[in-house]
Amino acid sequence: VPELPEVEAVCRRLHEWAAGRTIVAARFTRPQTTRPTSPRTFARRLAGRQIDRVHRRAKNVLLALTGDLTLRIHLRMTGNLWVDDPANRPSTARAWFTLDDGREIVFDDPRLLGRMEILDAGRASALDQELGLEPLSDAFTPAWLAERAQRSRKPAKVFLLDQSIVVGLGNIWAAEALFAARVAPAAPANSLKPRQIRHLHAAIQEILARAVKSAYEQYRAPGQTLESEGYGVAVYNREGLPCLRCRTAIARVAQAGRSTYFCPRCQR
Ligand SMILES: [Zn+2]
C-alpha cells in the first residue's frame, strides 16, 4: 500500500519526468477510474493542457494544469504512475496521457481501485482545507502538535493516525515515531509531557524524511514497484523479536482495528 513516502516519491519523479509537457490526449480503459465523469468528458477537459507542477497533498497525487485545473489521482492499494514510451505500457494500465514529446504518463492499477478527478480552483482549495496538516511542512511545529494533543484524549497512536489532524502518517510510521520518541502508544494524547511532544515531533519529521528519501531513490525507474516495508523499520512487524534498544520482546496490540507494535519497556 503506498503510504506518504511512496506517494511523495511518485510525485517528485513525475514532476521531473513530466512538468512542462502538454497532455495531447488521454485514454481510459475503465469508466470507474473517472466516475462520475465519463472518460470521454474527462479526456476532453485534459487535452491541450500543460502540466505546470506535480505535487502531493496527503496521499493524493496532484497535477497542476494550465487553466487553473488540477488532476487529482488517488493510487489506493496498488496504483502506480510513471512516464515511459507507449511500447512499454503494461496490460494493467487503466489510463494513459499522451505527452507532446511522444511519451506517456501511465496509470497502472492492477486492482482497479485508483480514482481520478479534475478539480477546478474552488474544489482544489476546498480539498486542501478539509485535509489535516502535512507533517513535513513548516507549519507542523512542536507547539502546534502540543496544542492539538492537549485537545485529544485519544491514545497517542490513534491520535497520530487521525487524518483530520496530521495527514499521511500511516500505521508503520506512527509506530516507528512512537518507538523513537519512547512514547507508549496507549498513552492519552493530552497526557503527553512537553518533552515527549518535542521528541515525537522530531521523530515524525526525521522518520518521514528518511522514508521519503529512500522511496525516492528506490523509484528511479518507471514502473518500479513501491514497497513500504523494506526500509529497515525498528519496531513495526517485529512482534516477539528483541527491542533494538533494550532487548525486551516487542509486543503487539490492536488499536482502532490496526496492529500496534511497541516495546513495553522503553515506551511508557
Ligand atoms: Zn525497548
Side-chain angles (χ1 to χ4, degrees):
V1 179
E3 300 264 2
L4 181 150
E6 291 78 28
V7 179
E8 178 71 22
V10 166
C11 290
R12 289 187 189 180
R13 289 292 181 199
L14 209 55
H15 181 84
E16 292 169 6
W17 291 328
R21 307 261 50 124
T22 297
I23 298 173
V24 295
R27 284 289 308 276
F28 301 89
T29 66
R30 298 287 199 288
Q32 61 260 52
T33 304
T34 60
R35 196 166 282 161
T37 307
S38 75
R40 181 191 294 246
T41 304
F42 209 93
R44 201 183 307 127
R45 291 192 79 191
L46 293 179
R49 292 187 195 272
Q50 184 178 304
I51 300 164
D52 290 334
R53 180 163 90 99
V54 183
H55 61 116
R56 181 189 59 75
R57 183 72 173 96
K59 288 182 12 178
N60 299 285
V61 178
L62 301 176
L63 280 74
L65 307 173
T66 47
D68 249 353
L69 291 189
T70 300
L71 172 59
R72 171 198 191 183
I73 303 173
H74 205 291
L75 303 172
R76 300 282 181 88
M77 303 294 280
T78 54
N80 204 348
L81 282 164
W82 64 84
V83 175
D84 204 352
D85 190 274
N88 300 329
R89 187 191 310 143
S91 61
T92 46
R94 306 306 179 192
W96 50 94
F97 308 112
T98 307
L99 302 175
D100 55 352
D101 63 358
R103 296 175 305 153
E104 61 186 20
I105 297 177
V106 178
F107 177 55
D108 185 34
D109 187 21
R111 289 174 63 180
L112 272 168
L113 295 165
R115 291 294 178 266
M116 294 188 190
E117 186 186 359
I118 297 174
L119 312 172
D120 60 23
R123 279 276 299 145
S125 146
L127 173 73
D128 188 55
Q129 294 294 314
E130 75 198 27
L131 291 167
L133 198 64
E134 289 288 340
L136 289 172
S137 70
D138 293 342
F140 180 67
T141 61
W144 183 90
L145 186 63
E147 195 268 324
R148 295 305 301 255
Q150 204 50 248
R151 295 178 358 214
S152 175
R153 284 191 297 265
K154 286 181 179 170
K157 165 82 176 332
V158 179
F159 169 76
L160 291 183
L161 290 183
D162 184 340
Q163 300 297 302
S164 70
I165 300 171
V166 176
V167 293
L169 195 61
N171 202 39
I172 300 169
W173 308 113
E176 293 296 314
L178 289 166
F179 175 76
R182 301 178 184 244
V183 172
N190 63 4
S191 75
L192 299 183
K193 305 198 163 44
R195 177 182 47 82
Q196 290 180 299
I197 292 280
R198 280 199 310 277
H199 288 162
L200 193 53
H201 174 270
I204 289 169
Q205 289 207 318
E206 266 174 48
I207 283 167
L208 283 180
R210 201 183 327 130
V212 164
K213 187 164 179 284
S214 169
Y216 173 76
E217 279 162 9
Q218 282 188 42
Y219 200 65
R220 274 174 222 280
Q224 197 157 320
T225 51
L226 296 171
E227 270 303 328
S228 293
E229 293 167 32
Y231 300 153
V233 290
V235 71
Y236 183 79
N237 221 3
R238 297 193 68 243
E239 185 182 12
L241 295 173
C243 169
L244 300 181
R245 273 192 304 245
C246 76
R247 315 302 294 167
T248 300
I250 296 299
R252 179 173 67 89
V253 291
Q255 286 184 292
R258 315 286 300 274
S259 283
T260 299
Y261 299 88
F262 69 105
C263 173
R265 184 158 175 225
C266 304
Q267 291 174 262
R268 54 180 178 188

